[in-house]
Each structure stands twice: as C-alpha cells, then as structure tokens.
Amino acid sequence: MVGRRWWTPWLWLAPALVLLGVFLVYPVVDTIRRSFLDERSKNFVGFDNYQFIIDNPQPLVSDTHSALLNNVMWLTLFTVITVCLGLILAVLTGRVRYEAVAKSTIFIPMAVSFVAASVIWRFMYEFNTEIGTVNATVTSLGGEPTAWLQDTGAPQTWLTQRGPDTLPQPIQINNLALILVGVWMWTGFAMVVLSAGLKGISTEVLEAARVDGANEWQIFRRIIVPILSPTIVVVATTLVIQGLKKFDLVWVMTGGRFKTDVVATLFYKEAFRIGDFGVGAALAVVLLLWVLPVMVIGIRRFQFQEETR
Amino acid sequence: MFHSKRSYLLLILFAITAFVGLGFVACGDDGEEGPQIGSVDVLGLWGDEELVSFEAMVAPWETDTGGDMAFTGTRDITTVLATRVEGGNPPDVAIPAEVGRFQQFAREGKLTPLSACKGLEETVKANYPQGFIDLGTVDGVLYGFFMKADTKGTIWYNPKFFADNGYEPLTASSTWDDLIALSDQILADGTPPWSIGVESGEASGWPGTDWIQQILLNEAGGDVYDGVIDGSVPFTDAKVKDAWEKFGEIALTEGYTVQGGAEGINATNFVNSSYPPFESPPTAAMVYLGGFASGFITDQFPDAVAGEDFDFFPFPGGGVTGGANIVYAFNGDETTCSFLNYLASAEAQAIWVNRGGFTSVNSQVSLDSYPDAVARAQAEQLATAELFRFDLDDAIGGAIQLAEFDGVTQYLANPGDLDDILSDIEASR
C-alpha cells in the first residue's frame, strides 16, 4: 500500500486554509495594525484612534457615542423582538391548517435581497403621503405625517428624558423604524428554526402534561420554552451577531444620517468616505471585539449540543 | 492506478502553464507593433441619460482612433476612487465632482500633470477661465480641467404663475431684502413662496449648504468665502453665522415652505422638492437648486417648455456659485492622453452641450450650441459672472464637507444650537 504521508491531510486542507488566510486572517491582522497608525496608515499613533472613539471630538460627521449606543439598541431590541415574535409565530403557525402557506409568507422577506428590501421600506416610510404608505395610513386615520427616517425625537413623552449631556438620546423614532425593518426581515428565520425545534418535542411529553391538567399557557411556559432553550440560544446568538454587524439596511435607508449610524456604517464612512483609515480600523476592531464573545458562546453552545446528541 | 492519476494531474498542470505562457508571448508580440490607442478605463458619476450623452460625446474619439472607453459610473465615486487608489488599482481617468480628494491625490504624487500630454496644458490654459485653472492647480502644477459645469445661482420659478399674479422675477442687482419682500408678498396671497428639500441619503443636507454658500458669497464677498475654504475664516465667524441665519429665515419662517418647516424639509428628497412650483396649480412659487434642476423638472413634466413653463432668475446679489466635474488622470500613456485631449476640446463638449444638460466652461464652445434659451442663459451666467466661486463644500471636501451636511439637517431641527453646530463643523477641519 502506498502509505499516507503526514502532509496528505494538509494538502486537502490547503485550499480552505489559503482562502481563510487571504480573506480572513490577513485582513484582520492588517486592520488591527492600521488601527494603531494615522489616517494614511503611515505613522504610529498608539491608542489615539481609540481615544478618538472615546472622546467623540467630531460629533457631526462621526458621532462615535451615538453609533455605539445605537448598536446597543440594535443588539437588544432587534434580538428580543425577533426571538419573541419568531417563537410566538412558530407556535401559532404550527396549529393552523395552512401551515406551509403561513410560514412561507412570513419567511419571504428573508429571501428578498436586503438592499432591495431597504429600498422598498424607504418608500414605505416616505414623508410625502402620496408616496409613503405608512404616512398615508397615519393621515387617513387623522394623524400628522412623521418623518420616520429623519425624526430623532423619542416616540413617547415618557421616554424623552435625556441622558447625560454628551450622550445622545438612544431611543429615537428613526432608530426604531430601522430596527422594525430588521425585525420584519429576520422574523421568518427565527420562526423556521424554532418551529423545527418545536417539531422535535415528542407529543408524549405534551400529552402527559395535558393529562396532568396543565393548560396551554403552562405547557408553553414550563415545557416548550425549557426544551427549546438550546435552539433559542442558537437563534439569539445569530441575531445578536446580525444586530451588531448591521450595515446594509442602515446605509441604504438613512446613510447613517440623523444619528442612526451604527459602528459598521461609521467605520465604512471613516475609512472610505472621509479617508481616515486609522479611526475606521479602530472602529472595526471595536466591533470585532464586541462580536467575538458572542461567537464564542454560540460555538460552545453548538458543540455542547453536538456532544449531547 | 495512483501513479497514473498523478501523472494525469501533472499533465494538466503542464498544459495550463504552457497555455498561460503562450498567452504572454502572444501579448508581447502584439505590443511590438508600435504605439497604439487601446482601452481607457474611466470612473465617473453618470448613469442613465447622462451616460448616454457622455457615450455619444466619446463615440467620435472611438471611431477616429480605434480606442475604446470602459466607463464605470457610480454615485459613490469618492469611496470607490479612494478604495481603488489605496488598493493600487486606480482608473486611467477619474471624473468626480469634488476637488478636495483631488488635491490630496495630487499632493501624494498619485496624479499625472496635464503637461505630460502633448498640447493638453496649452489647450486648457488658452480656453478655460482662470478660476477653473486655479482650482485644477496644486502646488503650481496643473493636474485637472473642468467639464460639465453647473451654475448654482439659479432660482427656478413658474413664469405663467408669476405673470398671472403680477410677481416680478428678481435680477442680479436685487438684494436679499427684495427676496424676503417677494416671499412675503407671495405668502400674503396664499401660496407658500418656497419649496425646499434636503434629503439625499448619506449626503442629506447639501442643498442647504448650497443656499448658505450662495448667501455667504453675496453678503460677505469673495475674500471671506475663500477664507472659509482655506481655513483662515472659521465657520464660527459672525459673517458665516449670518449666512446660516439668513438661510434659516427662508427655511424656518412659518408658512414660507410648502414642506411646512424643518421636519418636512429634512424628509423631502431634493429631486422631489423641485416639482411644486410646476404642478397645476402650483403648490409653491420658487425653488432654489442648481442648473441641474431643469433636468428634474423636464423629467417630471415632459411637456414643460423651457422659458414658458419654467425659467430661472439669478440669485439676488450678483455673485454666482457653481460646481463642475473635474477630469484628472492617473497615468500619461498614449491612450489616456489622446482621450484627455479629446475631452478637453470644444468639438467634443459641443456634442453633449447640444444634447442638453451640459454647460461647458470651454470658451470655444459657442453659445449657439445650447438647445434652448434657459440652457444658454445658464452658460451665460457662468461665463459673465463678475464674482464666481466654486461650490464651497466640494472645494473643501473630506470630513468637513460631511460635517457641514450634517450641520444643516441639525440646524433645521434645532435652530437654537447654531453656535454649537458651527463650532462642531470647524472641529472637523
């Protein structure tokens, strides 16, 4: 027999490793390197670029504080709303007769190009009531049109207390409008994955609970949710990462203007629009450090599931 | 079996190598036939009708020289250009609208001086206005020339509506107070005098900066205007602040805009803002936008006749601001030079001028080439302006340009924060 040489597995791995190296490892290392260099990546500036993010010296053109807070908004609201809606829809669609039709309808936004969906929603939110469906509905019910994508005000008066002077108000009408579009796109995904998990719960368990006299709410709360919790975590981590790296939707709908910038749009703007590669790279590194723990949790969880299978 | 498979693989590898090698040799043969006009890679802004016109303009060059133009058009040109230059893969020729980045490229030695192309520098210096030559010059070297200029000293109105109501279009010698008086008169008769929209995606706010720079040039003069560009006059200067407040007087006075004030102005797209004066009946009387607005109007109202259904009067005060596309090259090879020489010529530009939507700054392009009286009047305004300045934010570029855009939208929403906004803009310099 022609023996297996030690390098045989490496040979088969090589294409993947080369691709990973060129398109992942090298850019990451280079981004970290550039985050310590000046705007043209020539001179070493230490932690100046990170200081820029903390000090926020140019609040008009690159509001770093607002971008970080908006990312927190995306992270929490987007994830929580999408998971909850997805779970409710998974349970409900499992009980209707036209399950396939209902699920496909909810899943369709996921199949639309995100940029196309963003363009569509720009029209939906348009201020001019002859174009904007949302404002046309509002005015036909007797309300005043709202500039959904430009209004930085808080949606409710009880939320209008401002934070400290240097911090922007995180809960803005336009941020919520953007996040709702994200929810619209991703609910289908959450529903489908959770629904698959739901189908995996054996009917004996549910029937046993019913025999014991549990009502539907108790079954949902005490049995379905705990059994589904590993799946929920997987869905939630995916959504958290999506929320953190959100770019397309914000860029197409507002261009990050009117205080809707998130870290991903801001680093693109800094690096490529303004031409400051230092600050751009530093923002990218901040985003990477932020995503990293979430990814680790996600992968751990996945491995744990694989082992217990 | 194993063995034969490997030799098979080797054979394929060898075949590929040989093929590629032959390809190179073949290319080498081609090059030895002497200098030839090849393909020129152009990065610009245009799409749709503008691109069709540009291609029509380039067609004679392609026929005469056997050359070929590969055009990439993107509204995101600043980003794409920066990325390609950074990545060591610049286009042969770039035609953007902003000159801030152009000056940076020139200082970094990335651009080819026009003198590298035989006859080009002489043509430009002989036929182009001095102001545009100065703008294309960095550290004493001429790197770029301007084509497709646009006056931004134009207030568009509906002549029929004005005549029916007895309103008099203003002239260059009118004053700011005349403009306010006219606005008040129109408002008193029950029509909002203005339509303003500053929404433009990532660049939202720029129509407001056009207003402010035009007011600044008229009220404070050319020296202050130049000072703001070179940094000797800060944005916090009282004269700059006065220009912002005058813009606010128009945009924020109750009843002055069909958009109903700040929120509507911020949420209305600038293209859509050019329609109200020309609806029937008109829902606003005037819109201030550059010469390019005539294109928006004729697109929306295909039957509108220039001079009868829409026309412009000069922004009162006599000064004229304007923008233009700058043409510059990243190399000086035969093809690029031939292409640039052609683009700079009057016969090339007359082609697009004649198709409409193009104002030439080449003095050899005859005024008779323009398709209608309104287009000709725009060209005349640019050619005869006593006080002309290039668009202020396009001249500065970079972070401060974006800061000024954002300043406009924030000022409209919170006019009381003007002092903070102006010092924030200055901090981005």
Side-chain angles (χ1 to χ4, degrees):
Chain A
M1 159 176 167
V2 183
R4 278 184 167 224
R5 305 208 171 84
W6 64 269
W7 44 262
T8 321
W10 292 103
L11 185 67
W12 302 122
L13 274 175
L17 285 180
V18 168
L19 287 176
L20 267 181
V22 172
F23 292 110
L24 194 71
V25 178
Y26 165 70
V28 167
V29 172
D30 195 51
T31 304
I32 294 172
R33 183 182 70 88
R34 280 176 188 256
S35 75
F36 294 104
L37 301 177
D38 66 1
E39 55 180 34
R40 306 302 305 156
S41 301
K42 293 219 170 72
N43 307 306
F44 180 75
V45 294
F47 281 90
D48 279 8
N49 294 324
Y50 294 91
Q51 196 67 44
F52 181 99
I53 297 172
I54 295 167
D55 290 347
N56 197 18
Q58 297 184 355
L60 285 181
V61 55
S62 63
D63 195 337
T64 52
H65 289 174
S66 163
L68 289 167
L69 275 171
N70 287 344
N71 252 117
V72 174
M73 289 277 298
W74 271 94
L75 181 76
T76 47
L77 284 181
F78 170 70
T79 311
V80 169
I81 299 176
T82 310
V83 171
C84 290
L85 261 183
L87 189 57
I88 292 167
L89 286 170
V91 173
L92 293 184
T93 52
R95 296 171 179 218
V96 296
R97 277 174 61 202
Y98 304 103
E99 187 184 347
V101 176
K103 276 187 180 164
S104 310
T105 313
I106 298 166
F107 193 74
I108 280 175
M110 193 77 201
V112 178
S113 141
F114 287 180
V115 171
S118 308
V119 172
I120 292 168
W121 275 94
R122 252 181 82 127
F123 285 118
M124 295 281 289
Y125 282 139
E126 164 72 46
F127 184 72
N128 184 343
T129 49
E130 283 169 25
I131 304 170
T133 313
V134 178
N135 277 325
T137 313
V138 169
T139 46
S140 72
L141 296 174
E144 288 287 310
T146 304
W148 295 104
L149 296 178
Q150 285 82 26
D151 197 330
T152 54
Q156 296 281 329
T157 42
W158 55 272
L159 285 169
T160 49
Q161 299 111 312
R162 293 186 75 111
D165 276 354
T166 55
L167 299 181
Q169 196 177 335
I171 301 174
Q172 302 169 177
I173 287 178
N174 54 1
N175 267 329
L176 291 177
L178 290 176
I179 289 171
L180 284 180
V181 177
V183 169
W184 176 79
M185 286 180 191
W186 280 91
T187 300
F189 163 81
M191 177 197 68
V192 166
V193 177
L194 291 170
S195 165
L198 212 55
K199 298 266 150 92
I201 300 175
S202 69
T203 45
E204 284 102 25
V205 180
L206 300 178
E207 268 161 24
R210 287 204 182 90
V211 170
D212 287 346
N215 63 30
E216 289 303 304
W217 170 248
Q218 283 170 325
I219 290 175
F220 176 75
R221 182 68 197 80
R222 300 278 170 81
I223 297 177
I224 294 179
V225 171
I227 295 181
L228 266 187
S229 69
T231 318
I232 293 176
V233 171
V234 170
V235 171
T237 40
T238 310
L239 292 173
V240 164
I241 293 169
Q242 278 302 323
L244 277 173
K245 66 173 199 182
K246 204 79 220 124
F247 174 84
D248 39 23
L249 200 157
V250 178
W251 192 255
V252 174
M253 292 181 70
T254 65
R257 296 295 306 280
F258 304 99
K259 291 182 183 286
T260 57
D261 253 325
V262 287
V263 177
T265 55
L266 195 56
F267 91 64
Y268 177 81
K269 193 189 283 179
E270 274 289 343
F272 300 113
R273 189 70 175 80
I274 298 172
D276 189 333
F277 285 95
V279 173
L283 282 162
V285 172
V286 167
L287 190 56
L288 178 72
L289 292 177
W290 204 346
V291 175
L292 223 49
V294 185
M295 276 172 56
V296 170
I297 294 170
I299 293 170
R300 282 252 177 90
R301 196 77 219 182
F302 183 72
Q303 282 171 338
F304 174 73
Q305 262 190 319
E306 291 289 298
E307 280 162 16
T308 53
R309 193 161 274 186
Chain B
M1 179 77 183
F2 186 84
H3 201 79
S4 71
K5 206 174 220 169
R6 182 186 284 177
S7 27
Y8 184 61
L9 271 175
L10 272 174
L11 194 72
I12 291 177
L13 255 180
F14 176 76
I16 291 172
T17 320
F19 191 74
V20 172
L22 274 175
F24 275 122
V25 173
C27 284
D29 279 348
D30 241 16
E32 278 162 26
E33 285 169 20
Q36 215 180 350
I37 303 299
S39 174
V40 60
D41 178 17
V42 181
L43 186 65
L45 281 158
W46 303 311
D48 293 335
E49 253 170 86
E50 286 184 316
L51 180 55
V52 174
S53 292
F54 183 56
E55 280 171 344
M57 175 179 166
V58 173
W61 174 78
E62 290 184 326
T63 325
D64 291 350
T65 64
D68 176 43
M69 177 190 67
F71 183 83
T72 312
T74 167
R75 282 271 142 203
D76 228 357
I77 185 166
T78 318
T79 308
V80 175
L81 190 56
T83 317
R84 286 186 60 174
V85 171
E86 188 69 16
N89 175 33
D92 295 327
V93 176
I95 316 182
E98 177 242 33
V99 297
R101 191 57 68 99
F102 155 75
Q103 290 161 346
Q104 185 195 326
F105 288 149
R107 279 193 204 97
E108 289 174 0
K110 300 221 158 76
L111 302 183
T112 307
L114 297 191
S115 57
C117 296
K118 194 164 160 281
L120 183 56
E121 187 166 2
E122 292 74 17
T123 312
V124 172
K125 285 200 166 154
N127 299 334
Y128 285 69
Q130 190 58 40
F132 282 111
I133 293 174
D134 293 344
L135 270 170
T137 305
V138 180
D139 299 333
V141 182
L142 183 62
Y143 286 101
F145 65 88
F146 289 82
M147 56 181 267
K148 198 173 187 302
D150 252 316
T151 163
K152 291 190 173 180
T154 47
I155 294 176
W156 296 92
Y157 70 103
N158 183 334
K160 285 179 179 155
F161 178 73
F162 265 51
D164 289 350
N165 292 279
Y167 306 135
E168 281 292 320
L170 300 179
T171 63
S173 52
S174 306
T175 63
W176 177 259
D177 291 335
D178 295 335
L179 190 66
I180 297 295
L182 176 63
S183 306
D184 285 336
Q185 187 193 354
I186 296 171
L187 176 63
D189 292 347
T191 308
W194 294 99
S195 171
I196 307 177
V198 302
E199 198 277 329
S200 179
E202 177 231 3
S204 290
W206 68 258
T209 67
D210 282 4
W211 268 97
I212 293 161
Q213 72 197 16
Q214 184 62 50
I215 296 169
L216 182 72
L217 182 61
N218 283 334
E219 304 295 317
D223 291 340
V224 174
Y225 193 95
D226 295 339
V228 175
I229 293 174
D230 68 29
S232 58
V233 176
F235 272 86
T236 47
D237 190 274
K239 285 178 172 144
V240 181
K241 188 182 173 188
D242 179 62
W244 280 69
E245 283 173 336
K246 282 200 160 66
F247 165 59
E249 200 180 334
I250 297 277
L252 300 173
T253 298
E254 183 92 30
Y256 257 30
T257 58
V258 62
Q259 284 77 16
E263 187 169 27
I265 292 173
N266 270 339
T268 301
N269 185 268
F270 70 99
V271 177
N272 297 345
S273 79
S274 66
Y275 305 151
F278 312 102
E279 313 260 15
S280 57
T283 51
M286 299 173 277
V287 57
Y288 167 65
L289 271 180
F292 45 81
S294 62
F296 305 156
I297 296 164
T298 47
D299 277 353
Q300 178 75 1
F301 309 99
D303 300 331
V305 178
E308 289 177 24
D309 297 308
F310 69 95
D311 202 347
F312 74 88
F313 60 80
F315 200 99
V320 175
T321 60
N325 293 112
I326 180 167
V327 184
Y328 52 91
F330 288 88
N331 64 59
D333 66 31
E334 197 91 9
T335 306
T336 307
C337 279
S338 153
F339 184 71
L340 290 183
N341 267 316
Y342 176 74
L343 277 195
S345 69
E347 55 271 34
Q349 299 194 3
I351 295 175
W352 193 343
V353 162
N354 198 255
R355 295 176 64 98
F358 185 105
T359 305
S360 177
V361 290
N362 185 329
S363 58
Q364 299 298 309
V365 175
S366 155
L367 283 176
D368 299 333
S369 312
Y370 290 88
D372 58 63
V374 173
R376 198 169 304 126
Q378 289 175 48
E380 268 177 326
Q381 189 185 36
L382 273 183
T384 60
E386 277 175 29
L387 180 62
F388 173 83
R389 286 295 184 275
F390 196 77
D391 189 286
L392 187 127
D393 50 273
D394 277 336
I396 305 180
I400 198 158
Q401 179 178 35
L402 297 180
E404 209 196 344
F405 293 167
D406 207 51
V408 166
T409 56
Q410 292 208 16
Y411 168 62
L412 288 171
N414 306 298
D417 294 348
L418 182 56
D419 285 321
D420 289 343
I421 290 168
L422 291 175
S423 58
D424 282 347
I425 295 175
E426 192 58 30
S428 310
R429 202 184 278 275

